[in-house]
Amino acid sequence: MNIQIILIAFLTTLYFILPAYFSNGGALVFGGGTPIDFGKSDSKGVRWIGDGVTWRGIIAGSLIGIITGIAQGYLAPYIIEAIGPIIITPIVTDIPNGIVIGFLLGFGALLGDALGSFLKRRLGIGRGEPAPILDQLDFIIVALILVSPVVKLNWIFIIMAIALTLIIHLTANTCAYLLGLKDVWY
């Protein structure tokens, strides 16, 4: 495999999973309001999920995932023509396909975040406290699981998606920390 094929594989992987990334960021930007656990706690007084995952964030993030998928579907003919036979990762092929994939990746990312928060609470990890690997990968793993019934995912693609997610997550958070936008680098 030459460097051009590897680069195209990483770029098409990144492009394919954009609905998950944009959905995740959109939920943060447009979220707030009623938490999806409605403030409920377990018998020990520990919140089920917490205030960080809200209905408004889930809805807005899912819509952003769908809009991203639609844009990818619109651009699909141009991308397919440009990279043609080099495609080795899944791609969005048209607008209807983009709607489905955008929703599954977008909603899957948000579901992954909610499940990650649920697991952190069960493990006694408070909101904002670090849970290495879980904090970085919960959203992408669930997004890939949700999209897998409609898109064939191979192990190379999954490994690339996870590697890209780790790199992007840590880089973005470190930059936000250095700019004073976050209190912690992770």
Side-chain angles (χ1 to χ4, degrees), residues 92-115:
V92 174
T93 56
D94 54 34
I95 291 174
N97 179 258
I99 292 169
V100 172
I101 290 173
F103 172 75
L104 292 172
L105 286 172
F107 179 74
L110 302 172
L111 179 61
D113 270 345
L115 289 172

Side-chain angles (χ1 to χ4, degrees), residues 25-140:
L28 180 66
V29 172
F30 298 107
T34 306
I36 64 167
D37 66 3
F38 295 103
K40 302 290 183 187
S41 301
D42 64 15
S43 61
K44 297 177 186 171
V46 177
R47 287 286 298 276
W48 284 105
I49 296 174
D51 290 333
V53 182
T54 67
W55 286 106
R56 190 167 60 205
I58 295 278
I59 293 166
S62 295
L63 288 172
I64 289 169
I66 291 168
I67 292 166
T68 305
I70 290 169
Q72 288 176 318
Y74 177 78
L75 296 172
Y78 307 106
I79 291 170
I80 292 168
E81 182 180 325
I83 58 179
I86 304 174
I87 298 171
I88 61 172
T89 60
I91 60 165
V92 174
T93 56
D94 54 34
I95 291 174
N97 179 258
I99 292 169
V100 172
I101 290 173
F103 172 75
L104 292 172
L105 286 172
F107 179 74
L110 302 172
L111 179 61
D113 270 345
L115 289 172
S117 292
F118 177 81
L119 287 174
K120 284 175 72 171
R121 299 308 161 282
R122 303 294 66 77
L123 295 170
I125 302 169
R127 182 176 178 201
E129 291 181 37
I133 305 299
L134 178 62
D135 285 337
Q136 290 80 29
L137 297 180
D138 56 359
F139 80 99
I140 198 66

Side-chain angles (χ1 to χ4, degrees), residues 166-179 182 185:
L166 283 172
I167 293 165
I168 290 168
H169 191 277
L170 292 173
T171 302
N173 285 341
T174 301
C175 289
Y177 171 74
L178 293 173
L179 292 170
K182 284 190 71 165
W185 65 270

